[in-house]
Amino acid sequence: MRILVVEDEIKTARYLKRGLTENGFAVDIVHNGRDGLSMALGIDYDLLILDIMLPGMDGWAVLTEFRKEKKQTPVIFLTARDRVDDRVKGLHLGADDYLIKPFAFSELLARIHVIRRRGPVQQQDRIVIADLKIDLLSHRATRAGEAVELTQKEFSLLSLLAQRSGQVLSRTMIAEHIWDINFDSNTHVVDVVIRRIRAKIDDPFPVKLIHTIRGVGYVLEQRND
Ligand code: CA
């Protein structure tokens, strides 16, 4: 899951970047509204976290322009204001939620999970494919009842494939969802992480779940052949 954070306070932006990265999200940060809008329109993010008071173009204006382009990406407003009419205004403009600063990081995570659950992709807390089980909240995976130890990136990539089980995902699409903008566009890294995941969830078992589609990418599904 890839998130854009638009926040002009460097300290808050860093705090968000660190916390979200630690929780397995790919995070891009920009510090003003105009950059935020152009990034949000140019890249297919899964979530925008938008401060309201921003230099140049405020969060209201960014959201208004963004929704005008028929973009449905969920948006969480971050605001130092706590006036009821500000919250109502945000929700009217098409924000999905808002959080009042200062906030506990756990609260932000909880809201992200709520938004993910009602998103368009298969967004439940637990995914089961054959004997592979993935718990998205506790970040645990098991195959045939055995716990599988995965790094944060491995877990993110496996979850992405599992949430779109049956769909072929290109290396570029995977890279865009799992790594942030500073990621070198060499998609070979995707293959490396896939190999590591396979060594853990597929190699020890007769039934393989991750399949390579030559020249295209990868798909995770149960096949009966
Ligand atoms: Ca601000």
Side-chain angles (χ1 to χ4, degrees):
M1 186 169 178
R2 186 165 174 187
I3 299 177
L4 176 66
V5 175
V6 188
E7 168 61 82
D8 61 316
E9 292 161 29
I10 302 296
K11 236 178 103 185
T12 309
R14 271 199 206 127
Y15 169 70
L16 286 166
K17 167 104 184 172
R18 194 181 59 230
L20 291 169
T21 304
E22 280 169 5
N23 281 279
F25 299 107
V27 186
D28 295 326
I29 305 274
V30 287
H31 301 294
N32 69 71
R34 280 193 196 286
D35 289 350
L37 180 62
S38 68
M39 292 274 285
L41 291 175
I43 295 171
D44 183 20
Y45 288 101
D46 301 293
L47 174 71
L48 309 184
I49 297 177
L50 195 53
D51 186 27
I52 291 179
M53 302 305 284
L54 289 164
M57 185 180 196
D58 67 21
W60 308 125
V62 173
L63 180 62
T64 305
E65 292 303 312
F66 186 65
R67 292 289 187 236
K68 260 190 214 159
E69 301 293 322
K70 304 269 177 276
K71 296 286 190 182
Q72 300 301 317
T73 315
V75 173
I76 296 178
F77 266 131
L78 287 185
T79 174
R81 303 174 172 199
D82 59 358
R83 283 165 40 208
V84 174
D85 52 347
D86 278 345
R87 299 182 213 173
V88 172
K89 183 176 174 185
L91 297 174
H92 270 308
L93 286 174
D96 296 82
D97 210 341
Y98 58 86
L99 211 50
I100 291 159
K101 294 190 224 173
F103 54 88
F105 201 80
S106 56
E107 197 185 350
L108 174 61
L109 283 182
R111 298 199 183 202
I112 291 174
H113 283 303
V114 168
I115 285 175
R116 290 177 82 181
R117 231 173 284 149
R118 58 178 190 232
V121 199
Q122 205 191 346
Q123 294 286 21
Q124 67 277 59
D125 298 339
R126 208 150 170 268
I127 301 172
V128 179
I129 296 159
D131 55 358
L132 172 70
K133 295 193 173 104
I134 299 170
D135 188 322
L136 296 172
L137 292 182
S138 66
H139 280 217
R140 290 202 186 97
T142 61
R143 176 120 201 226
E146 296 285 320
V148 181
E149 294 297 323
L150 297 163
T151 66
Q152 198 65 258
K153 280 281 179 263
E154 290 163 6
F155 186 85
S156 298
L157 208 164
L158 179 64
S159 305
L160 179 71
L161 286 169
Q163 282 172 317
R164 294 162 201 245
S165 176
Q167 223 178 301
V168 181
L169 304 185
S170 71
R171 290 174 176 79
T172 308
M173 190 273 192
I174 293 171
E176 279 176 3
H177 275 81
I178 306 296
W179 283 274
D180 62 38
I181 196 128
N182 301 313
F183 173 67
D184 162 5
S185 61
N186 178 1
T187 51
H188 175 65
V189 180
V190 173
D191 298 325
V192 173
V193 177
I194 289 274
R195 210 175 303 139
R196 294 203 313 246
I197 297 171
R198 274 179 161 154
K200 296 174 182 179
I201 71 143
D202 266 351
D203 293 352
F205 303 94
V207 177
K208 310 302 174 197
L209 295 175
I210 297 176
H211 309 277
T212 306
I213 310 298
R214 275 227 292 174
V216 186
Y218 296 99
V219 61
L220 190 157
E221 65 186 356
Q222 182 173 21
R223 290 183 175 171
N224 297 316
D225 52 23

Coordinates of all heavy atoms in Angstrom, one line a residue, residues 77-126:
F77 N -7.7 13.8 6.2 CA -7.2 15.2 6.6 C -6.6 15.2 7.9 O -7.0 14.5 8.9 CB -8.4 16.2 6.7 CG -8.7 16.9 5.4 CD1 -10.0 17.0 4.9 CD2 -7.7 17.5 4.7 CE1 -10.2 17.7 3.7 CE2 -7.9 18.3 3.6 CZ -9.2 18.3 3.1
L78 N -5.4 15.9 8.0 CA -4.8 16.1 9.3 C -5.0 17.6 9.6 O -4.7 18.4 8.7 CB -3.3 15.9 9.2 CG -2.8 14.5 9.0 CD1 -1.2 14.6 9.1 CD2 -3.3 13.6 10.2
T79 N -5.5 17.9 10.7 CA -5.7 19.3 11.0 C -5.5 19.7 12.4 O -5.8 18.9 13.3 CB -7.2 19.7 10.6 OG1 -7.4 21.0 11.0 CG2 -8.2 18.8 11.2
A80 N -4.9 20.9 12.6 CA -4.7 21.4 14.0 C -6.1 22.0 14.5 O -6.2 22.2 15.6 CB -3.6 22.4 14.0
R81 N -7.0 22.2 13.6 CA -8.2 22.8 13.9 C -9.2 21.8 14.5 O -9.2 20.7 14.0 CB -8.9 23.5 12.7 CG -8.0 24.5 12.0 CD -8.7 24.9 10.8 NE -8.0 26.0 10.2 CZ -8.6 26.8 9.3 NH1 -9.8 26.6 8.9 NH2 -7.9 27.8 8.8
D82 N -10.0 22.2 15.4 CA -10.9 21.2 15.9 C -12.4 21.7 15.8 O -13.2 21.2 16.5 CB -10.5 20.7 17.3 CG -10.5 21.9 18.3 OD1 -10.7 23.0 17.8 OD2 -10.2 21.7 19.4
R83 N -12.6 22.7 15.0 CA -13.9 23.3 14.9 C -14.8 22.4 14.1 O -14.4 21.8 13.1 CB -13.9 24.7 14.3 CG -13.4 25.7 15.3 CD -13.0 27.0 14.6 NE -13.9 27.3 13.5 CZ -13.6 28.0 12.5 NH1 -12.4 28.4 12.3 NH2 -14.5 28.3 11.5
V84 N -16.0 22.2 14.6 CA -16.9 21.2 14.0 C -17.1 21.6 12.5 O -17.1 20.7 11.6 CB -18.2 21.2 14.7 CG1 -19.2 20.3 14.0 CG2 -18.0 20.7 16.1
D85 N -17.3 22.9 12.2 CA -17.6 23.2 10.8 C -16.4 22.9 9.8 O -16.6 22.5 8.7 CB -18.0 24.7 10.6 CG -17.1 25.6 11.2 OD1 -16.2 25.2 12.0 OD2 -17.2 26.8 11.0
D86 N -15.2 22.9 10.4 CA -14.0 22.5 9.5 C -14.1 21.0 9.2 O -13.8 20.6 8.1 CB -12.7 22.7 10.3 CG -12.3 24.2 10.1 OD1 -12.9 24.9 9.3 OD2 -11.4 24.6 10.9
R87 N -14.5 20.2 10.2 CA -14.6 18.8 9.9 C -15.7 18.5 8.9 O -15.5 17.7 8.0 CB -15.0 18.0 11.2 CG -13.9 18.2 12.3 CD -14.4 17.4 13.5 NE -13.9 18.0 14.7 CZ -14.3 17.6 15.9 NH1 -15.1 16.6 16.1 NH2 -13.8 18.3 17.0
V88 N -16.8 19.2 9.1 CA -18.0 19.0 8.2 C -17.6 19.4 6.8 O -17.8 18.7 5.8 CB -19.2 19.8 8.7 CG1 -20.3 19.7 7.7 CG2 -19.7 19.2 10.0
K89 N -16.8 20.5 6.7 CA -16.4 21.0 5.4 C -15.5 19.9 4.7 O -15.7 19.7 3.5 CB -15.6 22.3 5.6 CG -15.2 22.9 4.3 CD -14.5 24.3 4.5 CE -13.9 24.8 3.2 NZ -13.1 26.1 3.5
G90 N -14.6 19.4 5.4 CA -13.7 18.3 4.9 C -14.5 17.1 4.4 O -14.3 16.7 3.2
L91 N -15.5 16.7 5.1 CA -16.2 15.5 4.7 C -17.1 15.9 3.5 O -17.3 15.1 2.6 CB -17.1 15.0 5.9 CG -16.3 14.5 7.1 CD1 -17.2 14.1 8.3 CD2 -15.4 13.3 6.7
H92 N -17.6 17.1 3.5 CA -18.4 17.5 2.3 C -17.6 17.6 1.0 O -18.0 17.2 -0.1 CB -19.0 18.9 2.5 CG -20.3 18.9 3.1 ND1 -21.4 18.2 2.6 CD2 -20.8 19.5 4.3 CE1 -22.4 18.3 3.4 NE2 -22.1 19.1 4.4
L93 N -16.3 18.0 1.2 CA -15.4 18.1 0.0 C -15.0 16.7 -0.5 O -14.4 16.6 -1.5 CB -14.2 18.9 0.3 CG -14.4 20.4 0.5 CD1 -13.1 21.1 0.9 CD2 -14.8 21.0 -0.9
G94 N -15.3 15.7 0.3 CA -14.9 14.3 -0.2 C -13.8 13.7 0.6 O -13.2 12.8 0.1
A95 N -13.5 14.2 1.8 CA -12.5 13.5 2.6 C -13.2 12.3 3.2 O -14.4 12.2 3.4 CB -12.0 14.4 3.7
D96 N -12.4 11.2 3.5 CA -12.9 10.0 4.0 C -12.9 10.0 5.6 O -13.7 9.4 6.2 CB -12.2 8.8 3.5 CG -12.4 8.7 2.0 OD1 -11.7 9.4 1.3 OD2 -13.3 7.9 1.6
D97 N -12.0 10.8 6.1 CA -11.8 10.9 7.5 C -10.9 12.1 7.9 O -10.3 12.7 7.0 CB -11.2 9.6 8.0 CG -11.6 9.2 9.5 OD1 -12.1 10.2 10.2 OD2 -11.5 8.1 9.9
Y98 N -10.8 12.4 9.1 CA -9.9 13.5 9.5 C -9.3 13.1 10.9 O -9.9 12.3 11.6 CB -10.6 14.8 9.6 CG -11.8 14.8 10.5 CD1 -11.6 15.0 11.9 CD2 -13.1 14.4 10.1 CE1 -12.6 14.9 12.8 CE2 -14.1 14.3 11.0 CZ -13.9 14.5 12.3 OH -14.9 14.4 13.2
L99 N -8.2 13.7 11.2 CA -7.5 13.4 12.4 C -7.0 14.8 12.9 O -6.5 15.6 12.2 CB -6.4 12.5 12.1 CG -5.9 11.5 13.1 CD1 -7.1 10.7 13.7 CD2 -4.9 10.6 12.5
I100 N -7.3 15.0 14.2 CA -6.9 16.3 14.8 C -5.5 16.2 15.5 O -5.3 15.3 16.2 CB -7.9 16.8 15.8 CG1 -9.2 17.1 15.0 CG2 -7.5 18.0 16.5 CD1 -10.5 17.1 15.8
K101 N -4.6 17.1 15.1 CA -3.3 17.1 15.7 C -3.3 17.7 17.1 O -4.1 18.6 17.3 CB -2.3 18.0 14.8 CG -2.1 17.4 13.4 CD -0.9 18.2 12.8 CE -1.2 18.6 11.4 NZ -0.3 19.5 10.8
P102 N -2.5 17.2 18.0 CA -1.6 16.1 17.8 C -2.4 14.8 18.0 O -3.4 14.8 18.7 CB -0.7 16.2 19.0 CG -1.5 17.0 20.1 CD -2.4 17.9 19.3
F103 N -2.0 13.8 17.3 CA -2.8 12.5 17.3 C -1.8 11.4 17.7 O -0.6 11.5 17.5 CB -3.4 12.2 15.9 CG -2.4 12.3 14.8 CD1 -1.7 11.1 14.5 CD2 -2.1 13.4 14.1 CE1 -0.7 11.1 13.5 CE2 -1.1 13.5 13.1 CZ -0.4 12.3 12.8
A104 N -2.4 10.3 18.2 CA -1.6 9.1 18.5 C -1.5 8.3 17.2 O -2.4 8.2 16.4 CB -2.4 8.3 19.5
F105 N -0.3 7.8 17.0 CA 0.0 7.1 15.8 C -1.0 5.9 15.6 O -1.4 5.6 14.5 CB 1.4 6.7 15.7 CG 1.8 6.4 14.3 CD1 2.1 7.4 13.4 CD2 1.8 5.1 13.8 CE1 2.4 7.2 12.1 CE2 2.1 4.8 12.5 CZ 2.4 5.9 11.6
S106 N -1.3 5.3 16.7 CA -2.2 4.1 16.7 C -3.5 4.5 16.2 O -4.2 3.7 15.5 CB -2.3 3.5 18.1 OG -2.7 4.4 19.0
E107 N -3.9 5.7 16.4 CA -5.3 6.1 15.9 C -5.2 6.3 14.4 O -6.2 5.9 13.7 CB -5.6 7.5 16.6 CG -7.1 7.8 16.4 CD -7.5 9.1 17.0 OE1 -6.7 9.8 17.6 OE2 -8.7 9.5 16.6
L108 N -4.1 6.8 13.9 CA -4.0 7.0 12.5 C -4.0 5.6 11.8 O -4.7 5.3 10.8 CB -2.7 7.7 12.1 CG -2.4 7.7 10.6 CD1 -3.5 8.5 9.8 CD2 -1.0 8.4 10.3
L109 N -3.3 4.6 12.4 CA -3.3 3.3 11.8 C -4.7 2.6 11.8 O -5.1 2.0 10.9 CB -2.3 2.4 12.6 CG -0.8 2.6 12.4 CD1 0.0 1.6 13.2 CD2 -0.5 2.4 10.9
A110 N -5.4 2.9 12.9 CA -6.7 2.3 13.0 C -7.6 2.9 11.9 O -8.4 2.1 11.3 CB -7.3 2.6 14.4
R111 N -7.5 4.2 11.7 CA -8.3 4.8 10.6 C -7.9 4.3 9.2 O -8.8 4.1 8.4 CB -8.2 6.3 10.7 CG -8.8 6.7 12.0 CD -9.1 8.1 12.1 NE -9.6 8.4 13.4 CZ -10.3 9.4 13.7 NH1 -10.8 10.2 12.8 NH2 -10.7 9.6 15.0
I112 N -6.6 4.1 9.0 CA -6.2 3.5 7.7 C -6.8 2.2 7.5 O -7.3 1.8 6.4 CB -4.6 3.5 7.7 CG1 -4.0 4.9 7.6 CG2 -4.2 2.7 6.4 CD1 -2.5 5.0 7.7
H113 N -6.8 1.4 8.6 CA -7.4 0.0 8.4 C -8.9 0.1 8.1 O -9.3 -0.7 7.3 CB -7.1 -0.8 9.7 CG -5.7 -1.3 9.8 ND1 -5.2 -2.1 8.8 CD2 -4.7 -1.2 10.7 CE1 -3.9 -2.4 9.1 NE2 -3.6 -1.8 10.3
V114 N -9.6 1.0 8.7 CA -11.0 1.1 8.4 C -11.2 1.5 7.0 O -12.0 0.9 6.3 CB -11.6 2.2 9.4 CG1 -13.0 2.6 8.9 CG2 -11.7 1.7 10.8
I115 N -10.4 2.4 6.5 CA -10.5 2.9 5.1 C -10.2 1.7 4.1 O -10.8 1.5 3.1 CB -9.7 4.1 4.9 CG1 -10.4 5.3 5.5 CG2 -9.4 4.4 3.4 CD1 -9.6 6.6 5.4
R116 N -9.1 1.0 4.5 CA -8.7 -0.1 3.6 C -9.8 -1.2 3.5 O -10.1 -1.7 2.5 CB -7.5 -0.8 4.2 CG -6.3 0.0 4.1 CD -5.1 -0.7 4.7 NE -4.5 -1.7 3.8 CZ -3.5 -2.5 4.1 NH1 -3.0 -2.4 5.2 NH2 -3.0 -3.3 3.2
R117 N -10.5 -1.4 4.6 CA -11.5 -2.4 4.7 C -12.7 -2.1 3.8 O -13.3 -3.0 3.2 CB -12.0 -2.6 6.1 CG -12.0 -4.1 6.5 CD -12.3 -4.2 8.0 NE -11.2 -3.8 8.8 CZ -11.3 -3.2 10.0 NH1 -12.5 -3.0 10.5 NH2 -10.2 -2.9 10.7
R118 N -13.0 -0.8 3.6 CA -14.1 -0.5 2.8 C -13.7 -0.1 1.3 O -14.5 0.3 0.5 CB -15.0 0.6 3.4 CG -14.3 1.9 3.7 CD -15.3 2.9 4.2 NE -14.7 4.2 4.3 CZ -14.6 4.9 5.4 NH1 -15.2 4.6 6.5 NH2 -14.0 6.1 5.3
G119 N -12.4 -0.3 1.0 CA -11.9 0.1 -0.3 C -12.3 -0.9 -1.4 O -13.0 -1.9 -1.1
P120 N -12.0 -0.6 -2.6 CA -12.5 -1.4 -3.7 C -11.9 -2.8 -3.8 O -12.5 -3.7 -4.3 CB -12.1 -0.6 -4.9 CG -11.0 0.3 -4.5 CD -11.2 0.5 -3.0
V121 N -10.6 -2.9 -3.4 CA -9.9 -4.2 -3.5 C -10.4 -5.1 -2.3 O -11.0 -4.6 -1.4 CB -8.4 -4.0 -3.4 CG1 -7.7 -5.2 -3.9 CG2 -7.9 -2.8 -4.0
Q122 N -10.2 -6.4 -2.5 CA -10.6 -7.3 -1.4 C -9.8 -6.9 -0.1 O -8.6 -7.1 0.0 CB -10.1 -8.7 -1.9 CG -10.8 -9.8 -1.2 CD -10.1 -11.1 -1.5 OE1 -9.2 -11.2 -2.4 NE2 -10.5 -12.2 -0.8
Q123 N -10.5 -6.3 0.8 CA -9.8 -5.6 1.9 C -10.3 -6.2 3.3 O -10.9 -5.5 4.1 CB -10.1 -4.1 1.9 CG -9.5 -3.4 0.8 CD -8.0 -3.3 0.8 OE1 -7.3 -4.0 1.5 NE2 -7.4 -2.3 0.1
Q124 N -10.1 -7.4 3.5 CA -10.5 -7.9 4.8 C -9.2 -8.0 5.7 O -8.1 -7.8 5.2 CB -11.2 -9.3 4.7 CG -10.4 -10.4 4.2 CD -10.3 -10.5 2.7 OE1 -9.8 -9.5 2.1 NE2 -10.7 -11.6 2.1
D125 N -9.5 -8.4 6.9 CA -8.3 -8.5 7.8 C -7.5 -9.7 7.6 O -6.4 -9.8 8.0 CB -8.8 -8.5 9.3 CG -9.6 -7.2 9.6 OD1 -9.3 -6.2 8.9 OD2 -10.4 -7.2 10.6
R126 N -8.2 -10.7 7.0 CA -7.6 -12.0 6.9 C -7.8 -12.6 5.6 O -9.0 -12.5 5.1 CB -8.2 -13.0 8.0 CG -7.4 -14.0 8.5 CD -7.8 -14.4 9.9 NE -7.1 -15.6 10.3 CZ -7.7 -16.8 10.2 NH1 -8.9 -16.9 9.7 NH2 -7.0 -17.9 10.5

